[in-house]
Amino acid sequence: MVHLFIPRETREGEARVASIPETVRSLIEAGLTVSVETKAGLPAGFSDTSYQAAGADLVDSSPHAWAGADILLKLHPPTQEEAARLKKGSLVVCFFQPALNPDSAEALQGAGASVFAMERIPRTTAAQKMDALSSQANTAGYKAAVLAAATLGRWFPLMMTAAGTVKPAKVVVFGAGVAGLQAIATARRLGAQVQATDIRPEVKEQVESLGGRFIEVKMEERAGDEASVYAEEASEDYKKRQEEAVAEAVAEADVVITTALVPGAKAPILLSRERVETMAPGSVVVDLAAIQGGNCELTRKGETVIHQGVTILGPEDLAATVATHASELYARNLLQVVRHLCPEGKLTLDLEDEITGAALALHHGKVT
Ligand code: NAD
């Protein structure tokens, strides 16, 4: 029988857990056995007894617990010390990101482990239910708008009171991917006026359907361009035109939320120091790209910077601060991954399979 282990996440600031009682029950129904480290779910709001009631064994963090697992379900890759406890040939399912976690990557290779990297799952219809990049980006986008509202010394909605009328907050969102669209939707629900821009003009309709205004960057059509769901690095000409197109909206904004990423590259700088200096004191920037260098020139990863009265937040992982729902969504993504890899209750790593072939970053310690 395939045995799964869900350890407690040890990374500082991480409150999420890779499985919740609901998905543990489904995994057991699928013919697998599951053990969960004590207190693994507690920071996300899931008690030990709720895992036990779902059929899991509660275990401590001893090397024995790690060595007994065929599959480990995690958020972050195991540390060097944790990787050394793994049984040879075991499979770790997590956000691998070897460039950000080189020590873990080396240790997992040394341990002869296989790694199913959640960030490498193809963005296809077949894999949609496993798409943890989307589930976590969705959560981060929601929290970015809430964080901005909580930091801003103004209200988001239009409000008419006996003491006078309050104008709605003006929010500008850079990047209308999964996180950006959720930030737009949340800011709109809170009553703000929202404008957004994206290098992919095809997202205009989605922005408008959420009640936002799309800031278009006029470019000449380039013949032969193929539409891609992912942004490529912007040309110098595009950057110049974008800067001009957003200048007025940024200067008038109470809040700027930046979410623009380019897969495999440093995040583009979209908000220069000069542009921030056009914003009124008291305005707020939330930079969701901080982990990849930031979209704002003044962002410092994990810190709050105040520049001429403008607060610039560079949170490292906002999804981790909405731990209960982020864990629920991630756990459901992982349930689908395990079902895919263990169709008959037996672990099968088929490299010819479109999803497994793309996501399997290490196979028995070897880079695929
Ligand atoms: P992402 O995190 O890679 O980037 C965020 C956004 O920033 C993107 O919309 C991107 O176009 C934008 N951006 C990048 N550089 C920019 C620049 N210089 N100026 C302005 N904007 C810039 O994107 P994501 O949220 O992972 O989503 C990427 C795409 O994949 C989206 O179209 C999304 O809808 C799509 N997607 C498809 C599926 C699926 O089909 N299963 C699942 C998830 C996402």
Side-chain angles (χ1 to χ4, degrees):
M1 244 186 185
V2 177
H3 184 63
L4 286 115
F5 177 44
I6 295 103
R8 193 158 51 86
E9 295 294 325
T10 49
R11 187 169 291 198
E12 207 189 317
E14 184 54 79
R16 287 168 295 180
V17 60
S19 283
I20 60 167
E22 169 202 303
T23 58
V24 163
R25 184 169 282 121
S26 303
L27 290 165
I28 293 168
E29 280 167 8
L32 312 169
T33 55
V34 180
S35 59
V36 178
E37 186 180 336
T38 48
K39 298 197 177 127
L42 215 51
F46 302 100
S47 67
D48 284 351
T49 47
S50 62
Y51 285 103
Q52 264 175 327
D57 272 339
L58 280 182
V59 294
D60 58 19
S61 65
S62 65
H64 181 70
W66 287 73
D70 302 302
I71 304 179
L72 255 106
L73 301 183
K74 280 195 97 293
L75 257 310
H76 303 287
T79 62
Q80 280 171 299
E81 198 188 305
E82 289 167 342
R85 299 175 185 169
L86 290 169
K87 177 166 78 179
K88 206 169 169 43
S90 58
L91 173 74
V92 182
V93 184
C94 65
F95 279 119
F96 185 36
Q97 297 174 310
L100 297 176
N101 306 296
D103 292 346
S104 293
E106 204 186 311
L108 286 162
Q109 282 184 48
S114 297
V115 176
F116 188 97
M118 293 301 286
E119 74 276 10
R120 283 177 44 164
I121 293 176
R123 299 314 262 292
T124 57
T125 309
Q128 218 162 7
K129 287 185 177 171
M130 304 177 200
D131 185 355
L133 279 180
S134 286
S135 68
Q136 302 307 293
N138 224 331
T139 313
Y142 157 80
K143 187 65 183 276
V146 171
L147 185 62
T151 308
L152 187 70
R154 309 170 68 95
W155 290 2
F156 262 34
L158 168 84
M159 199 67 76
M160 286 182 212
T161 79
T165 299
V166 169
K167 285 192 191 153
K170 291 182 176 163
V171 175
V172 175
V173 177
F174 282 86
V178 179
L181 289 170
Q182 189 55 255
I184 295 167
T186 307
R188 288 285 304 142
R189 284 184 202 118
L190 288 172
Q193 285 178 356
V194 183
Q195 301 191 65
T197 190
D198 197 293
I199 194 165
R200 297 175 301 122
E202 63 272 21
V203 300
K204 178 174 190 272
E205 248 175 65
Q206 294 175 52
V207 171
E208 288 174 351
S209 73
L210 294 170
R213 182 184 159 267
F214 189 70
I215 305 172
E216 270 175 82
V217 179
K218 293 264 181 275
M219 294 289 286
E220 278 153 36
E221 294 273 335
R222 286 181 297 170
D225 273 3
E226 283 189 20
S228 159
V229 293
Y230 285 117
E232 288 171 15
E233 279 183 82
S235 65
E236 286 308 315
D237 182 32
Y238 180 87
K239 285 185 201 162
K240 205 167 144 275
R241 288 175 192 242
Q242 184 186 51
E243 176 99 6
E244 286 163 10
V246 300
E248 197 182 323
V250 168
E252 289 177 1
D254 299 298
V255 167
V256 174
I257 297 172
T258 64
T259 74
L261 294 170
V262 178
K266 193 180 168 298
I269 296 289
L270 306 180
L271 203 58
S272 62
R273 167 190 288 264
E274 293 74 44
R275 201 51 62 217
V276 172
E277 289 174 357
T278 67
M279 295 174 71
S283 349
V284 175
V285 176
V286 180
D287 191 345
L288 280 192
I291 191 94
Q292 275 180 241
N295 289 141
C296 174
E297 193 183 342
L298 300 168
T299 296
R300 283 212 294 269
K301 189 175 76 169
E303 292 183 29
T304 298
V305 175
I306 299 181
H307 183 77
Q308 297 189 358
V310 179
T311 302
I312 300 140
L313 305 172
E316 285 183 63
D317 198 347
L318 276 187
T321 70
V322 192
T324 305
H325 276 146
S327 300
E328 277 184 19
L329 302 177
Y330 186 66
R332 291 184 194 136
N333 295 143
L334 288 195
L335 171 63
Q336 298 302 329
V337 169
V338 175
R339 280 186 175 149
H340 187 75
L341 298 176
C342 306
E344 308 287 333
K346 271 181 72 184
L347 178 60
T348 320
L349 294 177
D350 175 8
L351 290 170
E352 301 297 312
D353 175 77
E354 191 204 351
I355 298 169
T356 311
L360 202 69
L362 290 184
H363 192 213
H364 297 305
K366 297 216 164 48
V367 178
T368 58

